[in-house]
Amino acid sequence: MATSYWLDRSSDHKAKTFDILIVGGGITGASTAFWLKKEDPNLKIAILEKSRLAFGASGRNAGFITCGSVEHFNRMVSKHGEAQALEIWKFAETNMSLLKEHIIENEKSLEFEQRGAYSLAAESAEFNELKSVAQLMNRLNIGNEVLGSDQVEKRLGAFGFEGGIRYLKDGAINPYKLVKKIFDKSGCEFFDQTEVFAIESSTAGDRIVKTDNGVFHASIVVLCTNGYSGNLSSYFKDKIYPTRGQIMMVEPVEPFMDGPCYANFYLDYFRQLADGSLLIGGFRQLEKETEVGYSDHITDVIQSALHDFVQKHLPRFKDKKITHRWAGIMGFSQDGEPMIGALPEDNQVFFCGGFTGHGIGLAFHSGKCLSDLIFGHPIPEWISARRFP
Ligand SMILES: Cc1cc2nc3c(=O)[nH]c(=O)nc-3n(C[C@H](O)[C@H](O)[C@H](O)COP(=O)(O)OP(=O)(O)OC[C@H]3O[C@@H](n4cnc5c(N)ncnc54)[C@H](O)[C@@H]3O)c2cc1C
């Protein structure tokens, strides 16, 4: 893509110069800006966003701040080994403590709550697996609590589950307000309605970033475009897959649910917001073939499945009206963990993405790692893009 002189909206057609340009105004872009400025307050940094703040997945998610990863902890151990699975879990716990220390000062203003999160099993096989997860976690001193079906009904008003597990440190938040607060605290500039379509090298050695809102120069460019990254570099084509997630919301009832919940191996999820409304998402597994790509349309199959789940498991919302439906694009990585690095073809272009549906629980800490990498500090091997050939 390219923009003609006539459609270029920059008023003076003169290049704007910064030290670092961040592409993407979601939680990763805002977090990276925050940490870079913390490391060096004199840096001149701008975020370039094709639409508006948190327009991507960051403004369309469920707001769970989850520790761990995209699957039950025993499966993380099988995949990564015990030491690394524990390191990943602790990384997410640190994400939460960093957020609390630097951003979530007034819990009410961000609608933050930390009462733990639940993972529920409708089948006995999954419940048995969760019980073994609890044993493993107890051995590793990760706080958890196993619940039978009666406790699930009592605390969550959720029926038809064999039982579940509660992870004690998890929480939930208003994700848009979170991104806004991180960005406001970063002290960086923000250019909305500014789509980047090319990054080129100048003879002077800096990078020329071409957008539909003028030309920008910087010595370093950082891609925080997650699911959209494949549009900017072919490097991401086989590394970060754009994957759609859908959500439905139901009108409020008297608040009764103790905390946010996952079900069915993390694939489906729901939470009751402070005003009593229900947010429910998931069921991507029903349309695996079509829940990929950049379209953010909702589909009948998944929206019907979300509705059926409410009818079956959450009777207090049974006859309530649906108020919102939406979809967003996530970036799935090959192994489910985020990746941070510099492009092999250009070591002045850095990136962070591939959160595989868990960026709210990982991006603030990942932004710190990305800043560390740019400043030449070491970052954990499991999050480094060097793990992929
Ligand atoms: C339905 C749904 C539910 C989810 N639920 C949760 C949850 O409960 N908990 C959790 O931890 N995670 C959840 N996620 C995942 C989470 O939202 C993401 O991991 C996270 O928001 C990724 O943030 P990001 O800043 O990396 O990417 P994004 O928020 O997608 O931001 C990328 C930005 O880049 C911009 N952009 C792209 N290309 C260009 C370009 N060429 N020029 C300029 N700008 C560009 C986009 O407009 C976008 O704003 C969910 C996601 C979805 C879709």
Side-chain angles (χ1 to χ4, degrees):
M1 186 190 141
T3 294
S4 74
Y5 177 88
W6 314 113
L7 294 175
D8 180 349
R9 287 175 295 102
S10 59
S11 47
D12 53 7
H13 298 281
K14 282 192 188 139
K16 298 170 203 54
T17 301
F18 290 85
D19 296 313
I20 301 182
L21 288 166
I22 295 173
V23 186
I27 190 166
T28 310
S31 300
T32 305
F34 174 89
W35 289 110
L36 285 167
K37 277 290 243 188
K38 214 164 180 52
E39 180 89 23
D40 183 352
N42 295 321
L43 281 175
K44 209 176 156 218
I45 301 175
I47 296 179
L48 310 179
E49 162 56 48
K50 73 174 173 186
S51 180
R52 49 181 281 216
L53 188 74
F55 173 77
S58 298
R60 304 174 192 222
N61 60 74
F64 288 49
I65 309 180
T66 313
C67 295
S69 176
V70 291
E71 53 202 345
H72 291 326
F73 189 67
N74 58 326
R75 295 178 184 224
M76 280 173 71
V77 169
S78 305
K79 198 196 266 179
H80 302 280
E82 191 171 289
Q84 197 170 80
L86 187 59
E87 197 185 332
I88 296 171
W89 191 277
K90 296 281 173 204
F91 182 93
E93 285 189 352
T94 305
N95 187 77
M96 174 67 100
S97 43
L98 288 172
L99 278 176
K100 283 165 70 175
E101 183 186 341
H102 296 279
I103 307 296
I104 308 173
E105 291 147 351
N106 177 350
E107 302 197 3
K108 272 207 168 358
S109 76
L110 299 180
E111 296 157 42
F112 173 69
E113 54 180 32
Q114 190 179 18
R115 287 185 289 182
Y118 295 82
S119 190
L120 306 181
E123 307 290 338
S124 53
E126 187 179 2
F127 189 35
N128 288 336
E129 187 168 334
L130 287 176
K131 286 189 239 176
S132 67
V133 165
Q135 283 176 357
L136 180 59
M137 288 185 149
N138 289 340
R139 184 164 60 72
L140 297 169
N141 288 321
I142 301 176
N144 72 88
E145 179 191 7
V146 174
L147 297 90
S149 58
D150 52 338
Q151 282 300 308
V152 171
E153 287 170 14
K154 203 166 148 205
R155 286 195 215 175
L156 304 165
F159 292 78
F161 293 98
E162 295 278 320
I165 189 169
R166 176 171 161 246
Y167 302 115
L168 306 187
K169 292 192 176 169
D170 290 4
I173 203 157
N174 176 323
Y176 173 75
K177 288 186 177 172
L178 174 64
V179 178
K180 173 93 172 64
K181 182 89 181 268
I182 299 171
F183 170 70
D184 287 347
K185 290 196 110 188
S186 76
C188 294
E189 284 191 52
F190 193 86
F191 291 83
D192 63 0
Q193 307 298 331
T194 301
E195 180 165 11
V196 173
F197 54 81
I199 300 166
E200 295 166 5
S201 306
S202 78
T203 44
D206 61 358
R207 294 295 168 268
I208 306 167
V209 177
K210 295 190 169 167
T211 81
D212 57 356
N213 188 20
V215 172
F216 294 77
H217 285 216
S219 47
I220 288 175
V221 178
V222 187
L223 306 180
C224 295
T225 41
N226 201 35
Y228 306 93
S229 302
N231 287 329
L232 285 170
S233 166
S234 58
Y235 168 75
F236 298 109
K237 293 273 187 227
D238 64 346
K239 294 186 181 63
I240 298 184
Y241 313 105
T243 306
R244 185 164 59 198
Q246 299 190 35
I247 283 182
M248 179 181 104
M249 276 191 68
V250 182
E251 66 178 332
V253 302
E254 192 64 31
F256 64 87
M257 214 177 275
D258 187 48
C261 303
Y262 288 97
N264 190 18
F265 298 90
Y266 279 103
L267 288 168
D268 311 323
Y269 47 88
F270 57 93
R271 64 180 275 218
Q272 190 177 26
L273 306 191
D275 72 349
S277 52
L278 174 76
L279 179 157
I280 173 166
F283 286 96
R284 194 172 35 82
Q285 65 276 17
L286 297 182
E287 289 190 298
K288 268 191 186 152
E289 303 299 312
T290 49
E291 289 297 281
V292 293
Y294 299 105
S295 158
D296 59 3
H297 290 119
I298 55 168
T299 64
D300 289 345
V301 171
I302 290 178
Q303 292 293 323
S304 300
L306 295 171
H307 178 263
D308 292 348
F309 186 99
V310 175
Q311 302 302 307
K312 184 172 171 192
H313 295 294
L314 300 168
R316 281 183 229 183
F317 288 100
K318 212 167 186 253
D319 302 316
K320 296 292 161 190
K321 283 199 202 84
I322 293 162
T323 58
H324 297 77
R325 301 178 191 272
W326 72 82
I329 306 304
M330 305 174 279
F332 275 37
S333 72
Q334 280 177 16
D335 62 0
E337 307 306 338
M339 50 192 285
I340 294 175
L343 289 181
E345 67 269 21
D346 188 342
N347 63 11
Q348 280 169 252
V349 180
F350 292 82
F351 61 83
C352 174
F355 291 102
T356 315
H358 289 262
I360 304 303
L362 295 167
F364 193 57
H365 195 182
S366 301
K368 184 173 188 315
C369 286
L370 180 51
S371 167
D372 285 346
L373 183 71
I374 291 168
F375 278 97
H377 307 316
I379 63 168
E381 270 306 309
W382 65 268
I383 207 168
S384 165
R386 281 187 311 199
R387 70 188 188 275
F388 299 115

